[in-house]
Amino acid sequence: SVFRIADSFLIKKIYLCGISGTPPHKHIYKTSLGSEKTVKWFYYKNIDILLRKIKNKNYKVIIIEQVNKSVNLQNFLPSFNNKYCLIFGNEIFGINKNLLSKKNIFLEIPQYGTKHSLNISISVGIVLWHFFNKLN
């Protein structure tokens, strides 16, 4: 689903890290409907290696997570002058605890029900729509 969402919002690259399925995989093919071929993707076993490369290329790292210092997504205005790397947690384990202690931007999707988590594909769709909508 993330591949299809990324394709819909013209995302240039997806970086898959840690415990994550990668193409070729029958479940990815089933839900991506070919978008795994239209969106470049890369796999890194260790997210720290990826983040060093990203930060050296002047990307703003934004972690989607509910933490004390997170900013409500509705209050975040992305800028044309920045390149962004959005990090979404593992479906079961969430965000790597090492990332929570680093100086990053944290965004939170407002939720009002009794559950305070969303499936990753839903979170990706909401956040990418917000960025796309604000930048266009």
Side-chain angles (χ1 to χ4, degrees), residues 85-113:
C85 174
L86 304 174
I87 297 178
F88 297 86
N90 176 278
E91 190 77 53
I92 296 167
F93 302 112
I95 292 291
N96 179 318
K97 300 302 177 213
N98 293 337
L99 296 177
L100 298 178
S101 62
K102 300 195 178 188
K103 293 182 181 178
N104 293 307
I105 299 169
F106 294 88
L107 290 183
E108 179 176 333
I109 299 168
Q111 298 169 55
Y112 304 100

Side-chain angles (χ1 to χ4, degrees), residues 17-75:
C17 299
I19 304 168
S20 182
T22 61
H25 190 282
K26 67 180 180 176
H27 296 297
I28 292 175
Y29 287 147
K30 180 181 176 184
T31 57
S32 70
L33 297 177
S35 56
E36 80 285 353
K37 296 174 185 163
T38 61
V39 177
K40 289 182 184 179
W41 65 272
F42 302 90
Y43 176 79
Y44 285 82
K45 185 173 184 170
N46 185 322
I47 194 168
D48 292 325
I49 294 168
L50 169 62
L51 289 178
R52 278 194 292 278
K53 288 182 178 186
I54 291 294
K55 287 185 177 181
N56 286 338
K57 294 181 180 181
N58 294 321
Y59 278 81
K60 295 233 181 255
V61 174
I62 297 181
I63 298 172
I64 313 307
E65 185 64 60
Q66 298 169 337
V67 294
N68 247 358
K69 52 190 167 186
S70 57
V71 174
N72 186 314
L73 178 64
Q74 296 170 337
N75 298 331

Side-chain angles (χ1 to χ4, degrees), residues 3 9 28-29 40 58 77 88 112 114 129-131 133:
F3 279 96
F9 292 111
I28 292 175
Y29 287 147
K40 289 182 184 179
N58 294 321
L77 186 60
F88 297 86
Y112 304 100
T114 57
W129 181 86
H130 175 82
F131 272 70
N133 185 43

